[in-house]
Amino acid sequence: MGRSRRTIPEELLLLALDPTTGTTAQPQSLDLGLAGAQLVELALAGRIAPDGDRIAVVMPRPTGDPTLDSALELLRRRGSPVRAVHWIGGPRLGLRQTYLSHLERCGMVHAVAGQMCGVLPTTRYQATDTAISREIRSRLDSAIRTGVPPDPRTAALAALAHAVGLGKHLYPGNEGRSSRSRLRDLIRHDPMGGLVAHAVMDVQNGVAAQPRRSPATAGQGARPPARTTARAATDPGRVPMQPRRGAGAMARAVAH
């Protein structure tokens, strides 16, 4: 995988980076979104594929991106397909900082040291080339404005931006309401992006994915199965909900 093209985790992080404060919007849910963005990028690279509501490794060959390859190796070691919601909800300590450091090495951001309350050291990150962030934002704006189905990368990025709650950061206030609604609707244009985005929201809401019943067990008087993330991702009739504030216990565990 060449470096001529930015990865979806990189673009998601650049979207979340506030050019004024140098901080990232939605930091807790963003960690989940970055883990999901890695899955989408690996799928686009042909390394993994959805298997119902699970993720299966179909080609373990490294991509050449160290951060993605680390995720790919962890998936390979599982030995069997893993549910997207369980993967995204697993420990992700330091993933956001890993990508910020990566963007700094690539020259896309630079670190600015500071202090909080005059005592605690802090680090802010400023984009070194705002044209990159404008280009990413322009792709989302174009998809929202024209209504033309976007390419898979842009559709997945839009789905993840909605899932982690970046809508109000990108399109604030009452005037941005219709754009936020259209951003949410873009989740339907990429099955893998939709699967991952719904898994991100399920983790935030403390929803555990349930396996589907096989046809042999249907109609035996058991309670209907819970809606799975995979079915939700591919159901064109489902309108994805904005993640609730105050995420569930699983999301809090990820953030700490």
Side-chain angles (χ1 to χ4, degrees):
M1 178 182 295
R3 293 303 305 148
S4 60
R5 179 161 57 185
R6 295 178 300 272
T7 66
I8 293 176
E10 293 168 2
E11 294 195 329
L12 182 65
L13 186 51
L14 288 170
L15 272 181
L17 194 62
D18 191 307
T20 303
T21 65
T23 60
T24 53
Q26 303 297 111
Q28 294 184 355
S29 57
L30 184 59
D31 287 344
L32 302 175
L34 290 172
Q38 287 183 317
L39 293 181
V40 177
E41 191 65 48
L42 287 170
L44 288 172
R47 298 326 195 255
I48 64 174
D51 180 8
D53 64 345
R54 297 174 184 265
I55 302 298
V57 175
V58 295
M59 184 189 298
R61 179 167 57 85
T63 65
D65 181 303
T67 311
L68 289 175
D69 289 341
S70 176
L72 179 61
E73 177 62 15
L74 289 174
L75 285 166
R76 187 193 66 79
R77 290 178 183 176
R78 292 291 185 99
S80 60
V82 59
R83 289 198 182 100
V85 72
H86 290 168
W87 170 260
I88 291 169
R92 291 291 176 268
L93 294 177
L95 187 58
R96 181 164 27 105
Q97 185 57 52
T98 295
Y99 269 104
L100 283 169
S101 299
H102 171 71
L103 290 178
E104 185 179 16
R105 288 193 300 271
C106 292
M108 285 189 266
V109 302
H110 68 276
V112 179
Q115 288 184 330
M116 180 183 296
C117 302
V119 178
L120 299 176
T122 62
T123 303
R124 296 179 295 113
Y125 291 87
Q126 300 287 348
T128 56
D129 186 354
T130 56
I132 295 176
S133 297
R134 288 197 302 269
E135 185 273 330
I136 298 170
R137 175 69 180 270
S138 176
R139 282 163 40 213
L140 289 186
D141 291 345
S142 178
I144 287 172
R145 182 178 62 255
T146 65
V148 176
D151 63 274
R153 302 184 71 83
T154 302
L157 180 63
L160 287 162
H162 165 71
V164 303
L166 289 183
K168 290 185 177 180
H169 169 70
L170 299 171
Y171 307 103
N174 288 333
E175 63 275 15
R177 184 178 301 171
S178 62
S179 292
R180 293 195 299 270
S181 177
R182 294 190 188 104
L183 178 70
R184 178 198 64 197
D185 291 342
L186 290 177
I187 202 171
R188 304 179 182 187
H189 290 291
D190 180 62
M192 184 65 183
L195 166 65
V196 170
H198 282 298
V200 168
M201 290 186 283
D202 283 346
V203 172
Q204 292 180 80
N205 293 331
V207 177
Q210 299 295 325
R212 299 181 185 178
R213 289 186 301 171
S214 66
T217 61
Q220 295 181 0
R223 291 181 61 187
R227 181 174 52 198
T228 65
T229 303
R231 181 167 54 194
T234 56
D235 181 3
R238 178 183 177 187
V239 177
M241 302 299 292
Q242 185 71 21
R244 295 196 297 265
R245 293 188 179 274
M250 188 182 300
R252 287 197 298 270
V254 170
H256 289 290

